[in-house]
């Protein structure tokens, strides 16, 4: 249908849209939308920035087409953003196309009939984001340190043996200021922090808090099927993945309760894949900031793991509680070390130290989690005494880059036994601020519907975007301002859509998601494994490209290389301060495209708010009727094969071209059966969309029945509409003329009443008595009756033999001239008008 794609990005020149051209100027969430969600496409005409020569003025009315058949399913007007003004942050004129009224599940694209141009495709489905969520979570598996990335858990393109277990690495990690073997500790495990292979406690805690909240706030969506080594153990895989990091965090805790600061190379060493990185690794000493971070992470995780139904996870939660209390006790015993000012002595890298304000807010947060965990009033007293000095309370304004601490205040507000006046103060401050933030969204300040102020576009702006989206989601999580719940949900969704392609760069800000429905995702980003020039460099130009699902930093107008000039990202409108590349010094691409585990986790937390699982399918009874031309006589079909025990006891459709591996078998063939039949459900008119299939029996009256020989068949599939396809071993196939709804049970479909019951004009042949049936003679199942079928008849032409024979078209147990006559009269007929669909 769509023959070419014009990305119109990065110094391309505009050329006329050929028929069916896909334009990146029609911005949609490339993954799609839940059925009941607001759905607004942003159409752009670039005025400023790297693509300002690519003019596009959309037609006044746009359409939505279904991809399976190009049928128009919706049409509506576009609305000019801000009266045709140019949006400063993007440099674009913009229009909005609201197609929220379209709620029917399926795959679609937006079409501009005035320009014969279309958007990227997208899906409408209840669980549309679940595959995306799985890949985003799986990125942490690829960040595991000291763990083999083995097939089948790792895709073969990103398989690697365990890293950083060599001499003076993580199993023998030594203090940076004293590398004597006496300082050695086993600090293996955990996640690589970002594009480097280092590990920081002060970044681990925020990452864990986001993931723990993602689990707590929507627990029903988390499955045990993320293809991790722990999958199938009865524990949600997100808990297994976090456990890998928490076990490392426990190793970083010292016997006195304090926590080491980090594990790192001393310079900028790296290699690809990570298993080839042999540089010595050192640990930094214990600090108050790391101990505060570990304390809060241990306490929050202990709440979640102790609530698990798994005994081993409950025990792990108890261990985490002990660690959290030990960390708090160390802080209480060492007030002179709070706050810490670690300067990363002995390392070339910057300290990654929390600011004094961050350390204070993080300790208040730790007190909140400890109080919820233990109910001990010591922690409530500390929280109640100090919470007013957290910025949200000082300034009564919620900042998206401080969401970690704001989340902790809200967490306390939900705790049994929390001080009522404190809860009221927190909720009022947060609600008041979020009403202001909501106004910035509902007033349409951002043409791309995910507003951030100019100053918040810094390194890691994508994380700040996620923080802002989660702030809106929190209003519903905590039941604040319920009257505006829909507005808050729609506002939060805008930030997810931004990451998924509704941005002026028309890119999905996730790596290598082309295999997961994104048509234009990040081909490369700054990462030590997926380094420039390696086999993992770029999806399009290297052997493998990076692993899927990593979110890079995002637009950064403050980017400045160590030398030279690179535009973009330099000298661009704020949201276009972006470039897809992964070089190091002196270009310093890390300032724009580096990943970071807290950033990844913040995306997962927000995305999880919009993930829904479809209801568990229940059996749908389907009453079907079909006739076969060969054995048909006087309104019914012959039971000769069954009466003479010639029908096999197990289904015969295991071989090519059906390749059905079902295990249907019976001890004896029921009475009144003509033959085995194969039934399939398709979501489109193409067999590649088959969602379920089963072998069944065909009664002499045309009813398709279960193995008991009497009851209709049933399919355990989601309640939806499906095309029904019926195949027989030596007759043509047939497909229903239209989808059949399985929403009501039982559903029914009778192919035998008219030719119009089949898809296409020659799907069946007319039999006597007003019946219609499948054409006899397609013995090679290529959907045409040709000389090849004659050859098949000839090769099975054994007059003296009786049996279950493919050349026996009239089902009398023999292959003879009567069967030849059936082939001859049908020769040249397309057994199914949907030949290509059934291939």
């Amino acid at each position: 249908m769509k023959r070419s794609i014009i990305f119109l990005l990065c110094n391309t020149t505009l050329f006329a849209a050929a028929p069916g051209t896909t334009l990146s100027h029609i911005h949609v969430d490339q993954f799609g939308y839940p059925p009941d969600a607001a759905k607004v496409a942003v159409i752009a005409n670039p005025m400023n920035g790297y693509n300002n020569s690519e003019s596009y003025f959309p037609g006044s009315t746009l359409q939505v087409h279904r991809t399976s058949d190009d049928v128009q399913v919706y049409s509506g007007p576009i609305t000019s953003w801000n009266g045709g003004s140019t949006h400063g942050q993007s440099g674009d004129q913009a229009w909005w196309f609201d197609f929220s009224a379209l709620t029917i599940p399926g795959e679609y694209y937006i079409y501009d009939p005035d320009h014969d141009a279309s958007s990227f495709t997208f899906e409408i489905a209840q669980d549309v984001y679940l595959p995306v969520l799985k890949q985003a979570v799986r990125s942490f598996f690829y960040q595991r340190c000291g763990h083999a990335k083995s097939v089948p858990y790792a895709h073969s393109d990103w398989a690697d043996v365990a890293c950083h277990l060599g001499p003076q690495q993580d199993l023998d990690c030594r203090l940076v200021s004293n590398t004597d073997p006496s300082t050695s500790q086993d600090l293996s495990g955990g996640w690589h922090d970002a594009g480097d292979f280092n590990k920081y406690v002060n970044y681990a805690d925020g990452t864990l808090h986001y993931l723990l909240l993602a689990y707590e706030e929507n627990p029903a969506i988390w499955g045990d099927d993320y293809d991790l080594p722990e999958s199938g153990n009865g524990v949600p895989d997100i808990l297994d993945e976090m456990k890998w990091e928490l076990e490392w965090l426990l190793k970083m805790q010292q016997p006195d309760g304090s926590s080491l600061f980090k594990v790192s190379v001393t310079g900028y060493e790296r290699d690809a894949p990570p298993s080839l990185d042999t540089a010595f690794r050192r640990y930094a000493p214990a600090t108050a900031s790391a101990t505060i971070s570990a304390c809060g992470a241990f306490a929050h995780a202990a709440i979640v793991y102790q609530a698990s139904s798994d005994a081993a996870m409950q025990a792990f939660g108890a261990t985490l509680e002990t660690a959290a209390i030990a960390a708090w006790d160390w802080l209480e015993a060492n007030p002179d070390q709070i706050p810490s000012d670690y300067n990363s002595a002995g390392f070339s890298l910057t300290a990654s130290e929390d600011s004094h304000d961050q350390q204070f807010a993080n300790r208040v947060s730790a007190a909140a989690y400890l109080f919820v965990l233990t109910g001990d009033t010591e922690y409530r007293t500390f929280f109640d005494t100090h919470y007013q000095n957290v910025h949200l309370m000082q300034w009564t304004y919620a900042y998206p880059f401080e969401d970690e601490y704001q989340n902790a205040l809200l967490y306390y507000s939900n705790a049994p036994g929390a001080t009522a006046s404190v809860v009221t103060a927190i909720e009022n401050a947060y609600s008041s601020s979020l009403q202001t933030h909501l106004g910035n969204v509902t007033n349409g300040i951002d043409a791309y519907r995910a507003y951030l102020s100019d100053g918040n576009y810094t390194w890691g702006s994508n994380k700040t975007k996620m923080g802002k989206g989660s702030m809106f989601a929190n209003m519903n999580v905590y039941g604040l301002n319920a009257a505006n719940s829909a507005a808050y949900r729609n506002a939060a969704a805008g930030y997810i859509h931004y990451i998924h392609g509704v941005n002026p760069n028309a890119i999905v800000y996730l790596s290598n998601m082309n295999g997961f429905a994104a048509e234009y995702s990040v081909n490369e980003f700054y990462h030590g494994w997926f380094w420039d020039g390696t086999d993992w460099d770029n999806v399009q130009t290297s052997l493998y490209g990076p692993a899927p699902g990593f979110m890079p930093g995002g637009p950064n107008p403050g980017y400045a290389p160590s030398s030279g000039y690179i535009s973009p990202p330099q000298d661009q409108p704020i949201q276009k301060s972006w470039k897809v590349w992964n070089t190091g010094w002196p270009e310093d691409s890390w300032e724009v495209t580096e990943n970071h585990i807290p950033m990844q986790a913040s995306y997962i937390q927000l995305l999880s708010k919009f993930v829904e699982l479809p209801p568990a399918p229940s059996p749908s009874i389907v009453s079907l009727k079909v006739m076969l031309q060969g054995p048909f006589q006087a309104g019914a079909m012959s039971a000769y094969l069954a009466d003479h025990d010639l029908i096999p006891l197990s289904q015969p459709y295991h071989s090519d071209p059906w390749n059905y591996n079902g295990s249907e078998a019976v001890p004896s063939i029921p009475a009144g059966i003509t033959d085995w039949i194969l039934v399939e459900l398709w979501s489109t008119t193409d067999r590649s969309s088959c969602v379920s299939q089963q072998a069944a029996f065909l009664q002499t009256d045309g009813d398709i029945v279960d193995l008991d020989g009497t009851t209709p068949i049933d399919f355990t599939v989601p309640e939806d509409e499906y095309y029904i396809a019926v195949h027989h071993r030596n007759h043509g196939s047939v497909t229903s003329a239209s989808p059949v709804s399985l929403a009501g049970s039982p559903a029914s479909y009778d192919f035998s009443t008219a030719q119009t019951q089949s898809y296409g004009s020659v799907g069946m042949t007319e039999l006597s008595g007003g019946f219609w049936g499948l054409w006899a003679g397609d013995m090679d199942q290529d959907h045409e009756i040709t000389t090849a079928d004659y050859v098949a008849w000839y090769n099975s032409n054994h007059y003296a033999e009786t049996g279950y024979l493919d050349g026996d078209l009239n089902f009398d147990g023999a292959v003879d001239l009567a069967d030849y006559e059936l082939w001859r009269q049908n020769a040249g007929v397309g057994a199914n008008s949907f030949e290509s669909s059934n291939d």
Side-chain angles (χ1 to χ4, degrees):
M1 181 273 298
K2 289 176 279 184
R3 293 176 289 281
S4 60
I5 295 177
I6 305 175
F7 286 106
L8 301 177
L9 294 172
C10 299
N11 302 317
T12 61
T13 57
L14 180 68
F15 50 92
T21 297
T22 301
L23 291 179
S24 62
H25 292 327
I26 305 175
H27 302 270
V28 295
D29 187 312
Q30 292 179 36
F31 300 113
Y33 308 84
D36 61 348
K39 309 171 190 72
V40 181
V42 176
I43 296 87
N45 177 38
M47 302 294 290
N48 299 314
Y50 62 79
N51 58 348
N52 64 356
S53 64
E54 301 162 358
S55 297
Y56 172 60
F57 292 92
S60 60
T61 299
L62 298 183
Q63 302 169 357
V64 182
H65 285 216
R66 190 167 52 226
T67 60
S68 61
D69 52 15
D70 283 343
V71 169
Q72 176 187 322
V73 296
Y74 182 81
S75 178
I78 63 173
T79 302
S80 176
W81 178 82
N82 201 19
S85 300
T86 297
H87 176 226
Q89 287 189 348
S90 67
D92 294 344
Q93 283 184 324
W95 296 261
W96 290 354
F97 174 55
D98 190 331
F99 56 103
S100 302
L102 179 60
T103 61
I104 300 171
E107 186 182 76
Y108 304 94
Y109 63 92
I110 292 171
Y111 182 66
D112 180 352
D114 287 6
H115 297 83
D116 194 17
S118 56
S119 71
F120 295 124
T121 59
F122 57 89
E123 185 179 7
I124 294 177
Q126 188 172 9
D127 59 347
V128 65
Y129 299 137
L130 182 59
V132 187
L133 181 72
K134 286 186 175 182
Q135 294 309 310
V137 171
R138 279 182 50 77
S139 73
F140 284 95
F141 172 71
Y142 287 112
Q143 292 288 86
R144 287 190 188 186
C145 186
H147 191 291
K149 287 78 176 177
S150 303
V151 176
Y153 312 113
H155 188 283
S156 58
D157 291 353
W158 304 288
D160 190 24
V161 298
C163 61
H164 301 106
L165 301 181
Q168 296 193 47
Q169 292 194 311
D170 292 8
L171 292 172
D172 178 22
C173 196
R174 304 179 185 182
L175 182 64
V176 66
S177 60
N178 178 9
T179 60
D180 186 85
S182 63
T183 67
S184 176
Q185 295 195 46
D186 176 3
L187 301 177
S188 59
W191 295 318
H192 298 148
D193 171 67
D196 56 40
F197 303 140
N198 303 325
K199 300 181 290 190
Y200 303 84
V201 172
N202 282 345
Y203 295 141
D205 69 325
T207 305
L208 289 165
H209 287 308
Y210 292 132
L211 294 177
L212 289 163
L213 289 171
Y215 175 76
E216 289 180 283
E217 291 167 359
N218 199 359
I221 68 169
W222 298 102
D224 189 23
D225 57 352
Y226 282 42
D227 296 327
L228 300 179
E230 300 84 3
S231 294
N233 65 355
V235 174
D237 278 344
I238 190 173
L239 298 184
D240 288 319
E241 191 58 61
M242 285 190 290
K243 188 171 184 285
W244 181 261
E245 178 79 344
L246 287 161
E247 288 173 334
W248 169 75
L249 208 58
L250 288 169
K251 292 180 180 180
M252 294 292 283
Q253 186 174 49
Q254 301 301 286
D256 63 359
S258 65
S259 180
L260 302 177
F261 186 83
K262 69 174 180 177
V263 172
S264 170
V265 291
T266 56
Y268 301 93
E269 300 89 347
R270 65 173 190 282
D271 211 336
S275 61
L276 297 183
D277 181 18
T278 59
F280 292 169
R281 290 158 68 85
R282 309 299 183 199
Y283 64 83
T287 65
S289 67
T291 306
I292 294 168
S293 294
C295 179
F298 289 146
H300 192 178
I303 297 167
V304 171
Y305 284 84
Q306 288 184 24
S308 170
S309 60
D310 182 85
M313 290 298 177
Q314 293 172 10
F316 183 62
T319 299
L320 294 171
E321 178 174 351
T322 299
I325 294 171
W328 184 269
D329 289 346
W330 183 89
L331 294 167
E332 289 289 280
N334 293 275
D336 57 314
Q337 298 193 43
I338 306 171
S340 58
D341 285 299
Y342 179 61
N343 63 5
S344 205
F347 296 96
S348 299
L349 293 169
T350 56
S352 304
E353 173 68 293
D354 286 345
S355 70
H356 290 186
D357 284 343
Q358 289 172 323
Q359 291 181 54
F360 175 81
N362 217 11
R363 193 170 182 206
V364 174
S365 300
Y369 293 118
L370 276 165
F371 173 64
V372 175
L373 172 65
T374 67
D376 193 323
T377 57
E378 172 191 357
Y379 307 118
R380 183 181 63 189
T381 298
F382 184 94
F383 183 93
D384 290 353
T385 302
H386 297 288
Y387 82 100
Q388 289 181 318
N389 294 320
V390 176
H391 288 158
L392 170 66
M393 307 309 299
Q394 283 184 323
W395 305 330
T396 64
Y397 194 81
Y399 285 98
F401 48 82
E402 292 191 326
D403 59 327
E404 182 182 337
Y405 317 123
Q406 293 158 184
N407 288 340
L409 297 189
L410 292 171
Y411 202 89
Y412 172 88
S413 74
N414 241 17
T419 303
S421 60
V422 173
V423 170
T424 299
I426 292 170
E427 292 179 345
N428 287 345
Y430 198 79
S431 295
S432 175
S433 181
L434 263 294
Q435 289 179 39
T436 300
H437 287 296
L438 183 63
N440 290 335
V441 173
T442 56
N443 291 338
I445 293 177
D446 184 0
Y448 285 89
R449 305 174 64 85
Y451 175 72
L452 276 186
S453 64
D454 292 0
N456 283 332
Y457 284 93
T458 59
W459 182 90
S461 67
N462 281 344
K463 179 183 181 298
T464 311
K465 285 274 190 180
M466 297 302 93
K468 186 68 171 285
S470 288
M471 285 162 51
F472 291 120
N474 278 342
M475 293 295 288
N476 292 338
V477 169
Y478 291 94
L480 306 176
N481 195 2
N484 282 322
S485 61
Y488 285 113
R489 180 173 176 81
N490 291 341
Y495 294 81
I496 288 296
H497 301 324
Y498 171 89
I499 295 297
H500 292 175
V502 185
N503 58 71
N505 301 304
I507 194 167
V508 172
Y509 284 119
L510 297 171
S511 64
N512 200 358
M513 293 297 285
N514 294 5
F516 300 93
E519 294 185 62
Y520 181 43
S521 58
V522 172
N523 288 327
E524 61 179 286
F525 64 100
Y526 182 95
H527 194 285
W529 183 351
F530 317 128
W531 192 246
D532 192 36
T534 68
D535 288 344
W536 303 276
D537 175 12
N538 184 287
V539 174
Q540 296 181 328
T541 61
S542 66
L543 185 59
Y544 305 121
F550 287 81
M551 186 173 75
N556 179 9
Y559 164 76
S562 294
S563 66
Y565 173 78
I566 303 174
S567 180
Q570 290 181 285
D571 293 335
Q572 295 292 317
I574 287 173
Q575 292 187 22
K576 290 179 182 172
S577 300
W578 164 261
K579 177 181 172 69
V580 179
W581 90 124
N582 65 356
T583 59
W585 184 90
E587 293 188 357
D588 305 339
S589 69
W590 62 269
E591 292 187 12
V592 177
T593 69
E594 188 176 16
N595 66 295
H596 195 206
I597 55 173
M599 183 158 53
Q600 188 78 18
S602 66
Y603 167 71
I604 290 169
Q605 184 198 2
L606 181 56
L607 181 65
S608 68
K609 302 294 185 298
F610 300 94
V611 173
E612 299 180 39
L613 300 182
S618 57
S620 295
I621 298 172
V622 185
S623 296
L624 297 176
K625 187 168 187 172
V626 70
M627 292 292 186
L628 304 180
Q629 180 190 20
F632 183 86
Q633 296 177 357
M637 292 175 291
S638 169
Y640 183 92
L641 297 180
D643 292 344
H644 291 79
D645 297 326
L646 298 179
I647 297 178
L649 299 180
S650 58
Q651 63 89 7
Y653 295 101
H654 48 78
S655 60
D656 189 66
W658 310 286
N659 298 311
Y660 172 56
N661 61 2
S663 59
E664 289 91 342
V666 292
S668 62
I669 302 299
I673 296 300
T674 294
D675 200 0
W676 287 96
I677 203 87
L678 182 65
V679 183
E680 296 179 335
L681 301 183
W682 302 350
S683 58
T684 70
T685 53
D686 190 315
R687 194 182 183 202
S688 65
S689 71
C690 179
V691 298
S692 187
Q693 56 185 167
Q694 65 175 289
F697 286 129
L698 179 64
Q699 288 182 333
T700 57
D701 63 359
D703 288 342
I704 296 176
V705 295
D706 211 341
L707 301 187
D708 62 4
T710 58
T711 60
I713 59 175
D714 62 67
F715 287 91
T716 302
V717 292
E719 291 188 348
D720 205 341
E721 292 185 338
Y722 301 93
Y723 286 90
I724 299 175
V726 178
H727 308 280
H728 185 265
R729 59 190 175 88
N730 63 16
H731 280 61
S733 299
V734 68
T735 307
S736 61
S738 58
V740 177
S741 174
L742 301 191
S745 187
S748 63
Y749 199 85
D750 188 346
F751 286 96
S752 71
T753 59
Q755 178 72 278
T756 54
Q757 289 294 91
S758 70
Y759 196 104
S761 60
V762 292
M764 295 183 293
T765 182
E766 188 171 10
L767 310 175
S768 62
F771 290 98
W772 290 79
L774 276 57
W775 294 90
D778 187 16
M779 285 168 277
D780 64 359
Q781 289 293 298
D782 66 351
H783 316 299
E784 292 181 303
I785 300 175
T786 65
T787 303
D789 298 298
Y790 166 78
V791 172
W793 169 84
Y794 183 84
N795 290 336
S796 62
N797 186 0
H798 305 293
Y799 287 97
E801 181 178 334
T802 298
Y804 190 71
L805 307 170
D806 286 343
D808 177 18
L809 301 182
N810 64 0
F811 293 21
D812 64 358
V815 178
D816 51 27
L817 287 177
D819 302 305
Y820 167 79
E821 283 300 320
L822 275 169
W823 169 83
R824 187 186 62 79
Q825 73 183 46
N826 292 342
V829 173
N832 190 321
S833 61
F834 239 109
E835 292 91 346
S836 63
S837 296
N838 286 277
D839 285 341

